Amino acid sequence: MSDESANDPLPRMSKEKAEEWAKHWTDSMVSTARARLDPETARPSADFTDCVGRNGETADDGRFDLSYSVRGTLPRADHAAAVTAIKDTLKKKGFEIQTFVVNEDEEPANVVDARHPEDRQFVSVGSVDKNLLVFVVNTPCLLPPGVDQQQF
């Protein structure tokens, strides 16, 4: 159970800065994995959605979540080592590992999911195809700068 309140101050960030921040995280994970961003397969994606509270509440103050992903090219034989290296790096940065699987032949193969307990960002890396890994960053609920936070 969390001690967080619906009216605790939200972190502030513009959508542009949030996307830059998420891209930085995915780029860092791609580098750790020693993968390559191939323009034909990378498919960077930024999906902004409205934040939804624990009880289904939504606000009109512009708060948002971001899910950002990109695909990196890496031979399947190297996926387990890549996911393991990312897991080790995330643990050093204070992330809690929620899922960790390395398996060459079965699905889900080669997955790490982690959440930062303080910053509340979620990251995930996993095999999606023979030579592709997907790198995902989900931000916590963010409030744009200069906006008054709606109270519930």
Side-chain angles (χ1 to χ4, degrees), residues 90-107:
L90 291 171
K91 282 182 80 169
K92 288 177 188 172
K93 293 183 180 289
F95 279 77
E96 296 171 345
I97 305 304
Q98 297 178 318
T99 305
F100 176 64
V101 177
V102 287
N103 189 336
E104 289 296 322
D105 300 320
E106 297 177 25
E107 296 300 329

Side-chain angles (χ1 to χ4, degrees), residues 1-4 8 11 21 25 54 90-98 113-123 138 140:
M1 186 131 223
S2 173
D3 292 332
E4 295 174 20
D8 284 351
W21 176 83
W25 267 100
R54 259 186 230 122
L90 291 171
K91 282 182 80 169
K92 288 177 188 172
K93 293 183 180 289
F95 279 77
E96 296 171 345
I97 305 304
Q98 297 178 318
D113 297 327
R115 183 179 182 275
H116 197 281
E118 295 167 16
D119 300 335
R120 298 189 317 257
Q121 72 260 32
F122 173 83
V123 297
N138 292 321

